[in-house]
Amino acid sequence: MALPAPSRPGAGRYAPRAPSLGRRLSAGKRRPRRLCRQRRRRARLAWCPAARRPGSAEKRPLADEEVSRLAERIGPLRPTNFGARFDVRSKPNPNNAAYTAIGLAPHTDLPNWRQPPDIQLLYCLENDADGGESTFSDGFAAARTLRERSPEAFRMLSETPIDFRFQDEDHDIVWRAPILTLDAGGNLLEVRFNNWIRDTLHLPPEQADAWYQAYREFWHLVHEPDQQLEFSLAPGQMVAFDNRRMLHGRKAFNPESGRRHLQGTYLDLDLLESRWRVLARQA
């Protein structure tokens, strides 16, 4: 897994906000604006392919909407039924388990959409509550292990479409797809894994038993301790990861002991790769 623990000293890359670029002083002298523009382009050029990998971590200035400002340097935010930018914190009458204090098992976001979001960004504003550690697991690595250990279980999860559904007072979004999606050559394209959004299984009883057995095997693989990365995000830290490959979750936390507030958004992979190519031309 390429996602480093951001709490490790030196793990994050520090990038100033746009308003301060070109105004920082070195040895009492102002940097030439052309040099600052070149440094910004090089920093963004390095960040784009890093975000394309399974995951990356970065230190950002501590500010509300910082995740939106960073994402908009790449392209328009990907809106969903939760908005273009969403707040992850415990609140009354939540319409999503993420907006509670309970633990969240490893999952991908929005498998009930025809086209789930590609890149997810999560930025920490506050995290002084007891618990709430972030967890990550590589869904592709777990799928490859399943293919080696239990080919029939892999076949069942890659060839059997199931229903995913999210519904609240304003939305009812449904899509049908396998847990594991392959291309024509049998290579993994995406993982759709979210027990909160998985709908009723509409399969014959004998096929349902085999499917649940395969699902249970995959579930145990993504929960194996040596397959998971766990750390606490500190205020100002951000993670970006491939939502169609990486499973993310969190430990339960006590909202009475402190506040935990993350802001998140999504980016389309097409726009990320487009921005990368444009920056490469300009470098």
Side-chain angles (χ1 to χ4, degrees), residues 1-8 11-13 53 55-58 136 229 231 233 238-240:
M1 294 173 60
L3 182 68
S7 58
R8 188 176 67 250
R13 294 190 301 278
R53 293 195 294 267
S56 62
E58 180 169 342
F136 291 88
L229 182 63
F231 58 86
L233 279 172
M238 187 192 77
V239 290

Side-chain angles (χ1 to χ4, degrees), residues 2-244:
L3 182 68
S7 58
R8 188 176 67 250
R13 294 190 301 278
Y14 289 77
R17 284 189 295 170
S20 66
L21 292 173
R23 298 188 177 90
R24 300 180 68 194
L25 301 181
S26 176
K29 296 182 180 180
R30 187 182 299 274
R31 292 174 178 164
R33 290 185 178 180
R34 181 179 178 185
L35 175 60
C36 290
R37 287 196 297 268
Q38 291 173 343
R39 289 170 64 91
R40 290 201 301 270
R41 282 198 296 265
R42 285 197 296 267
R44 292 171 191 169
L45 182 61
W47 190 88
C48 286
R52 179 64 183 90
R53 293 195 294 267
S56 62
E58 180 169 342
K59 177 73 174 182
R60 301 292 305 169
L62 182 59
D64 188 46
E65 296 290 352
E66 183 64 22
V67 69
S68 301
R69 281 189 284 270
L70 173 63
E72 286 169 347
R73 293 184 180 186
I74 306 300
L77 310 185
R78 161 76 186 273
T80 73
N81 53 296
F82 298 106
R85 196 272 296 148
F86 50 89
D87 290 274
V88 183
R89 55 186 169 187
S90 179
K91 62 182 183 181
N93 302 316
N95 65 344
N96 189 295
Y99 305 150
T100 69
I102 64 175
L104 299 178
H107 65 280
T108 60
D109 276 8
L110 308 184
N112 58 306
W113 283 62
R114 177 180 285 102
Q115 176 77 16
D118 293 317
I119 306 299
Q120 181 168 178
L121 289 75
L122 286 174
Y123 170 81
C124 180
L125 281 169
E126 298 176 285
N127 195 8
D128 54 11
D130 293 338
E133 295 84 1
S134 299
T135 63
F136 291 88
S137 179
D138 188 343
F140 278 20
R144 286 193 291 265
T145 301
L146 182 68
R147 188 179 228 167
E148 295 170 359
R149 294 183 183 177
S150 184
E152 182 58 27
F154 181 90
R155 186 195 65 77
M156 177 65 69
L157 295 186
S158 62
E159 295 182 3
T160 309
I162 65 167
D163 294 307
F164 296 94
R165 184 176 189 176
F166 172 87
Q167 55 183 324
D168 61 11
E169 293 182 357
D170 301 314
H171 303 92
D172 192 344
I173 305 172
V174 181
W175 188 245
R176 186 173 176 84
I179 297 290
L180 307 174
T181 301
L182 312 179
D183 64 15
N187 303 303
L188 283 161
L189 285 180
E190 69 175 4
V191 176
R192 295 177 186 248
F193 192 81
N194 191 319
N195 214 42
W196 296 97
I197 296 181
R198 182 172 60 82
D199 202 7
T200 304
L201 196 63
H202 298 103
L203 294 174
E206 63 278 3
Q207 189 178 3
D209 289 343
W211 188 91
Y212 274 118
Q213 178 59 39
Y215 186 77
R216 187 180 302 112
E217 290 186 51
F218 188 64
W219 175 277
H220 286 308
L221 284 173
V222 300
H223 282 79
E224 286 185 357
D226 61 350
Q227 293 293 323
Q228 290 199 13
L229 182 63
E230 178 182 318
F231 58 86
S232 293
L233 279 172
Q237 289 183 329
M238 187 192 77
V239 290
F241 55 92
D242 185 342
N243 177 62
R244 298 171 74 176

